[in-house]
Amino acid sequence: LEQKSLKDIKETVDLSKLNEVRVNLLGKKGPITEVLRGMRELSKEERPKVGSFANEVRDNLTETIEKRRSELEQAHLERKLKRESIDVTLPGKPVAQGNPHVIQQIIDNIEDLFLGMGYQVVEGPEVETDRYNFEMMNLPKDHPARDMQDTFYITDEILMRSQTSPVQARTMEKHDFSKGPLKMISPGVVYRRDTDDATHSHQFHQIEGLVIDKHITMGDLKGTLETLAQELFGDRFEVRLRPSYFPFTEPSVEADVTCFNCMGEGCKVCKYTGWIEVLGAGMVHPNVLKMAGVDPEVYGGFAFGLGPDRFAMLRYGVDDIRNFYLNDVRFLSQFNKRG
Ligand code: FA5
């Protein structure tokens, strides 16, 4: 029995079988237990002999089983490690990474340019008061020029800002001119009840610019706008300044860039004019300075408000502004910086 059992144990190839063998041999109903149980019937002389022999056999079997168990466990572990081993040389799975929206990229680019010229970046509220959006901008309640910016009103006094110009007044009020000139830009979202078309969206971006100091001239404005156009378009497009009207600047200008789609010939995108308007600007009106607590006899400056959406259209040849707002990843991923 012992020899056969030892052979069985050694030939067992899995752990659950081994357990079965153990229970059969050493369990309550196994042959060893039976022998030990039968000892009562033996004579006094036989008992110790049979007893010690049975114990010896049991110990031998137990030891062999334990040895086999650890062999099988080791083999199992080795198989598992082999199966689960990682090939570190395999290429990894690509992880999709987010990217700044193309308009944000243009805004970042413009911010960097102006920060480099010593401007500060200021933000203002999108839900604005009529006072800052219009009145402080020299547009009293009954002013006809309010029609230039069809506005979403929330109450009589509160509205979705139609331009970033209110940040001019907010910043001038706080600025301590004894400490130096004011140079700021303010990017943000603005809202208008414009009918959406290829170059108009009811929600779009603007970047306001403002410089107030003692001897600022129209020449400074022109130089600044030329630097901006050069940065964004290089020599690819022509830029023209033409006289315009804004209640908060005097004189006022608008800047147009040759239409990328027809290069001046005239097409649907530019409504057959050959030009796309990208910004409004001018010398800050004395009334605006006065209302913000700045003495127009001492200080003056220029301001501009540009449309980054239009800049993005020109720079990348996008013929419909609405593409920027549809959130179609196939369109937007063309502008990914990280590929
Ligand atoms: C203004 O909003 C003035 N606040 C700009 C300004 C600031 C003038 C400071 C003088 C001094 P305007 O309404 O023209 O001006 O808009 C400025 C720019 O915003 C436009 O040149 C254009 O680039 C962009 N823009 C205007 N309306 C839309 C629209 N519906 N969709 C997309 N871009 C627009």
Side-chain angles (χ1 to χ4, degrees):
L1 175 76
E2 189 185 4
Q3 290 313 314
K4 180 174 182 308
S5 303
L6 288 174
K7 190 164 167 270
D8 282 352
I9 293 168
K10 284 185 184 138
E11 282 170 4
T12 309
V13 289
D14 79 60
L15 282 162
S16 65
K17 281 266 161 55
L18 185 68
N19 201 36
E20 251 173 55
V21 172
R22 186 183 62 83
V23 171
N24 286 340
L25 287 172
L26 305 174
K28 277 185 195 148
K29 289 178 186 150
I32 309 275
T33 318
E34 212 171 288
V35 170
L36 291 171
R37 217 181 270 141
M39 296 250 289
R40 258 176 275 146
E41 282 137 42
L42 295 176
S43 66
K44 254 191 183 166
E45 295 78 45
E46 279 176 317
R47 251 185 240 168
K49 280 191 207 149
V50 173
S52 74
F53 180 65
N55 280 336
E56 208 179 283
V57 172
R58 190 188 55 195
D59 291 349
N60 194 11
L61 291 178
T62 309
E63 200 182 302
T64 314
I65 289 171
E66 283 313 311
K67 208 169 139 222
R68 186 66 187 149
R69 188 204 302 283
S70 73
E71 277 169 16
L72 289 175
E73 276 173 357
Q74 184 63 30
H76 175 72
L77 185 66
E78 270 163 21
R79 274 200 307 277
K80 196 171 168 196
L81 283 176
K82 206 165 179 191
R83 199 170 54 235
E84 291 178 2
S85 68
I86 296 168
D87 182 353
V88 291
T89 63
L90 282 176
K93 287 188 189 137
V95 178
Q97 247 185 329
N99 268 277
H101 189 281
V102 52
I103 295 188
Q104 189 59 46
Q105 291 179 30
I106 297 270
I107 293 172
D108 289 347
N109 191 177
I110 296 173
E111 275 186 18
D112 284 349
L113 174 72
F114 281 97
L115 282 169
M117 297 195 288
Y119 287 58
Q120 52 170 317
V121 179
V122 183
E123 287 194 4
E126 284 176 31
V127 178
E128 196 34 293
T129 56
D130 184 275
R131 191 168 113 83
Y132 278 104
N133 195 75
F134 287 130
E135 285 176 47
M136 298 280 283
M137 287 290 108
N138 202 27
L139 274 145
K141 282 234 153 60
D142 52 0
H143 200 291
R146 283 195 176 208
D147 291 349
M148 288 164 74
Q149 300 177 10
D150 233 347
T151 308
F152 289 115
Y153 278 90
I154 295 173
T155 68
D156 282 354
E157 293 301 322
I158 298 172
L159 44 81
M160 300 308 289
R161 68 175 175 190
S162 60
Q163 51 181 353
T164 43
S165 298
V167 188
Q168 284 187 31
R170 287 181 176 277
T171 315
M172 274 190 279
E173 278 181 335
K174 283 190 220 130
H175 188 76
D176 180 355
F177 284 92
S178 69
K179 297 223 167 93
L182 168 60
K183 291 167 89 179
M184 69 108 193
I185 57 163
S186 182
V189 178
V190 303
Y191 304 82
R192 283 187 202 173
R193 288 197 299 119
D194 281 349
T195 307
D196 289 3
D197 64 22
T199 54
H200 291 82
S201 173
H202 57 280
Q203 176 197 310
F204 59 100
H205 296 78
Q206 281 194 342
I207 299 180
E208 196 75 12
L210 177 69
V211 171
I212 304 287
D213 199 358
K214 281 185 179 149
H215 306 287
I216 303 291
T217 68
M218 195 89 179
D220 297 315
L221 170 63
K222 193 157 179 272
T224 306
L225 297 180
E226 275 165 7
T227 308
L228 173 70
Q230 184 64 32
E231 165 75 15
L232 286 168
F233 307 123
D235 296 320
R236 280 190 296 150
F237 299 107
E238 234 181 284
V239 181
R240 74 172 182 194
L241 285 183
R242 67 186 151 75
S244 184
Y245 169 76
F246 296 103
F248 29 90
T249 46
E250 180 59 37
S252 303
V253 291
E254 274 180 317
D256 302 330
V257 176
T258 33
C259 173
F260 62 91
N261 204 39
C262 57
M263 294 311 281
E265 295 297 314
C267 70
K268 233 171 153 180
V269 176
C270 60
K271 299 207 175 79
Y272 305 99
T273 61
W275 298 91
I276 292 183
E277 177 211 317
V278 293
L279 64 84
M283 303 309 288
V284 180
H285 197 289
N287 285 352
V288 172
L289 294 170
K290 240 184 278 171
M291 280 186 275
V294 181
D295 183 354
E297 299 294 326
V298 184
Y299 292 100
F302 65 77
F304 58 84
L306 61 89
D309 307 55
R310 301 255 178 106
F311 278 60
M313 290 178 77
L314 286 158
R315 188 194 247 184
Y316 297 115
V318 174
D319 62 7
D320 197 319
I321 195 171
R322 288 166 289 198
N323 284 322
F324 296 128
Y325 295 100
L326 294 177
N327 282 337
D328 184 336
V329 176
R330 290 168 303 180
F331 171 78
L332 293 175
S333 61
Q334 298 177 90
F335 310 102
N336 286 359
K337 281 181 175 162
R338 287 193 283 262

